[in-house]
Amino acid sequence: MPLLAVNVDHVATLRQQRLGIEPEPVTAALMAELAGARGIIVHLREDRRHIQDRDVTTLRACLQTHLNLEMAATPEMQKIALSVRPNSVCLVPEKRQELTTEGGLAVAGREDEIRRFLKPIWAEGITSSLFIDADPAQVQAAADIGTQFVEIHTGHYADAGDNTARDLEFARIAGAIGLARKLGLKVNLGHGLNYVNILAFKDVTGISEYSIGHSIISRAVLTGLSEAVSRMVSIVEGFTE
Ligand code: PXP
């Protein structure tokens, strides 16, 4: 049975809009756990645009499931991972100007460098995942590096402009999952998955975990809105005019 891990970055995005204290991503993570999520994911970006260092340390102290820290392969992030000790790290590419992670990490040709980066992390008992495109060369390189997991990038599938392009991306992802499993890797999927486009994966086997953020937080904003408004209406209308 594949599991769901929830990415709470965009709860922090909303908080950082006002640089205030709400909404609290740690509360969101604990609510996601109570609702059945089997893991929580946060991406600590170099520019700290959403998740902050204290979110990661607080989550580490509070979570009962699994904390997966997404991060760039930089010395700063390696130091943080070794000090916070999440259950797993997921290495992603990072560009300052991007709205969100745009593609998979190029690992082919950088096997030694990435293995060297991960060695101290593995030595602390932290597992690793590499966020890669559905490309056989990247899957092979990930296996050669010795990571336990890969996360196959589903963003191109989610963003495909028509059915032909979507089918092609889907076939690439299915092929990459098959190869990764054959090479002994565990496979997660993520990026751009929502309540509709995820349905195509119903019969795809070999997937350990789905990593989903934006669509869940987006839905929560809308499904929670009626209660939030009616509560404020009852406060305001309880006042004397
Ligand atoms: N996996 C990785 C590696 C990501 O960078 C992201 C986005 O932060 C996700 C999964 C979740 O993507 P989404 O927010 O589109 O569900």
Side-chain angles (χ1 to χ4, degrees):
M1 175 181 75
L3 306 178
L4 172 67
V6 176
N7 178 315
V8 295
D9 289 354
H10 296 305
V11 178
T13 300
L14 209 50
R15 177 192 61 190
Q16 294 312 108
Q17 281 297 106
R18 296 284 173 95
L19 300 176
I21 61 165
E22 68 176 5
E24 169 57 64
V26 175
T27 307
L30 294 174
M31 289 175 76
E33 275 195 340
L34 287 177
R38 298 302 188 95
I40 299 298
I41 301 161
V42 287
H43 183 175
L44 185 66
R45 281 183 168 268
E46 182 203 11
D47 64 10
R48 306 299 197 271
R49 68 173 71 163
H50 39 52
I51 292 295
Q52 306 296 303
D53 298 58
R54 96 15 136 179
D55 300 330
V56 184
T57 43
T58 312
L59 285 168
R60 173 68 286 185
C62 297
L63 291 183
Q64 294 188 31
T65 57
H66 182 102
L67 175 63
N68 182 348
L69 177 62
E70 271 179 27
M71 60 186 214
T74 62
E76 182 203 15
M77 290 299 152
Q78 188 192 51
K79 198 164 149 216
I80 291 171
L82 291 173
S83 133
V84 177
R85 299 168 53 98
N87 303 92
S88 58
V89 296
C90 178
L91 299 188
V92 297
E94 207 172 286
K95 291 189 221 131
R96 276 209 166 222
Q97 279 76 23
E98 68 192 356
L99 284 177
T100 181
T101 313
E102 284 169 354
L105 188 68
V107 294
R110 294 176 59 205
E111 290 86 346
D112 290 345
E113 180 198 336
I114 294 170
R115 194 181 304 110
R116 232 178 297 122
F117 181 86
L118 286 172
K119 266 199 171 154
I121 291 175
W122 292 333
E124 290 300 317
I126 301 165
T127 57
S128 65
S129 179
L130 302 175
F131 182 59
I132 56 170
D133 285 330
D135 170 351
Q138 302 298 340
V139 175
Q140 182 63 60
D144 294 344
I145 287 166
T147 186
Q148 295 91 350
F149 287 85
V150 283
E151 181 176 327
I152 308 283
H153 180 37
T154 49
H156 302 307
Y157 160 77
D159 294 340
D162 55 44
N163 288 343
T164 311
R166 191 168 303 112
D167 290 350
L168 189 69
E169 291 300 336
F170 183 82
R172 278 201 186 116
I173 294 167
I177 294 169
L179 177 61
R181 297 294 296 139
K182 211 168 95 194
L183 295 172
L185 291 160
K186 291 190 187 141
V187 179
N188 300 332
L189 288 195
H191 212 283
L193 294 175
N194 62 34
Y195 295 82
V196 176
N197 64 23
I198 196 171
L199 298 175
F201 291 92
K202 179 171 169 284
D203 297 321
V204 180
T205 56
I207 300 163
S208 298
E209 188 175 280
Y210 288 88
S211 163
I212 305 180
H214 191 266
S215 65
I216 293 177
I217 304 306
S218 300
R219 178 164 291 217
V221 168
L222 296 184
T223 56
L225 194 62
S226 298
E227 194 209 317
V229 172
S230 62
R231 179 77 194 117
M232 191 61 88
V233 165
S234 70
I235 291 173
V236 169
E237 295 187 355
F239 295 164
T240 309
E241 189 175 341

